[in-house]
Amino acid sequence: MNEGISPPPWYAPETSGLNVTFPDVRQCLIYDSPSPNARLIGVEYMISATLYKTLDSSERKLWHSHVFEVKSGMLIMPGPNGLPTGLWEEAETKEMEEVVGLYGKTFHFWQIDRGDKLPLGQPQLMMSYTDEEQCPGFTELVGERDSRFKISSEQKEKKRGYIGEPEVHQDADSMWKKG
């Protein structure tokens, strides 16, 4: 594992507040829950493969791919209240066609899994899982999240089965590479 980069937290934060800033860059605010009193715990920047390739090697190692998150059904976009579920799932699946090829750089500044009452210490650069085996209890954690949102990651995985898997740059996902 690379120094200064942390594995994903044990909890599964919900992502909200997607803002496309310009064609090759997105920024997503990460909250600890979908509730009105949710705490803002981090931010993720997502960039296109084209922009990613322009970064130098040391910078590229700080970014992660989204192939596993998308294809496994782990990555969700919580739907707005009042919108029919089927309509939202169709829009979410369509969005995942693009997200699967993006690279993310995520900073968490409030480590709620430690029980911190406010953001303490240095922000942490986080990586995402690229395989289910990297997370002990993955199925249970995703199942708990699915119950909260009344969704099925297994169904999402099946619906996303047609989405192609882009080639992931060799510098991405460095947290999980040996050496």
Side-chain angles (χ1 to χ4, degrees):
M1 290 191 193
N2 287 322
E3 197 171 311
I5 302 175
S6 299
W10 285 101
Y11 56 89
E14 320 325 329
T15 302
S16 179
L18 175 66
N19 178 19
V20 179
T21 54
F22 53 93
D24 288 330
V25 178
R26 298 174 181 209
Q27 50 190 15
C28 301
L29 302 178
I30 304 171
Y31 295 89
D32 68 337
S33 80
S35 74
N37 296 327
R39 296 173 287 188
L40 177 64
I41 61 170
V43 63
E44 178 174 11
Y45 298 96
M46 294 182 185
I47 62 172
S48 68
T50 302
L51 187 55
Y52 178 82
K53 291 174 188 172
T54 69
L55 304 174
D56 66 47
S57 178
S58 61
E59 177 64 25
R60 285 192 304 258
K61 290 177 181 172
L62 304 176
W63 295 74
H64 63 270
S65 65
H66 287 98
V67 175
F68 175 72
E69 288 181 88
V70 169
K71 298 291 285 181
S72 69
M74 184 176 106
L75 183 61
I76 66 166
M77 296 168 41
N81 291 332
L83 192 65
T85 302
L87 187 60
W88 182 251
E89 286 180 356
E90 186 178 323
E92 178 190 59
T93 302
K94 186 76 176 153
E95 185 65 20
M96 293 300 152
E97 292 175 8
E98 191 171 321
V99 173
V100 74
L102 300 178
Y103 291 88
K105 186 176 188 182
T106 305
F107 291 96
H108 282 207
F109 31 83
W110 193 335
Q111 295 186 330
I112 61 166
D113 55 325
R114 296 188 311 204
D116 294 351
K117 302 294 182 211
L118 66 154
L120 299 173
Q122 301 264 345
Q124 295 291 308
L125 177 63
M126 305 299 283
M127 286 286 172
S128 186
Y129 298 116
T130 60
D131 187 278
E132 187 174 323
E133 293 173 11
Q134 295 164 340
C135 176
F138 177 85
T139 302
E140 293 79 15
L141 289 170
V142 172
E144 290 168 13
R145 188 275 318 267
D146 285 1
S147 293
R148 281 197 314 272
F149 284 93
K150 298 176 178 63
I151 61 165
S152 168
S153 293
E154 290 176 0
Q155 287 179 342
K156 290 182 182 298
E157 181 177 6
K158 288 176 188 169
K159 283 183 182 179
R160 298 172 185 177
Y162 74 93
I163 298 174
E165 293 188 27
E167 184 175 333
V168 175
H169 193 284
Q170 65 185 11
D171 290 340
D173 305 320
S174 66
M175 160 110 197
W176 305 110
K177 297 181 178 166
K178 296 179 174 135

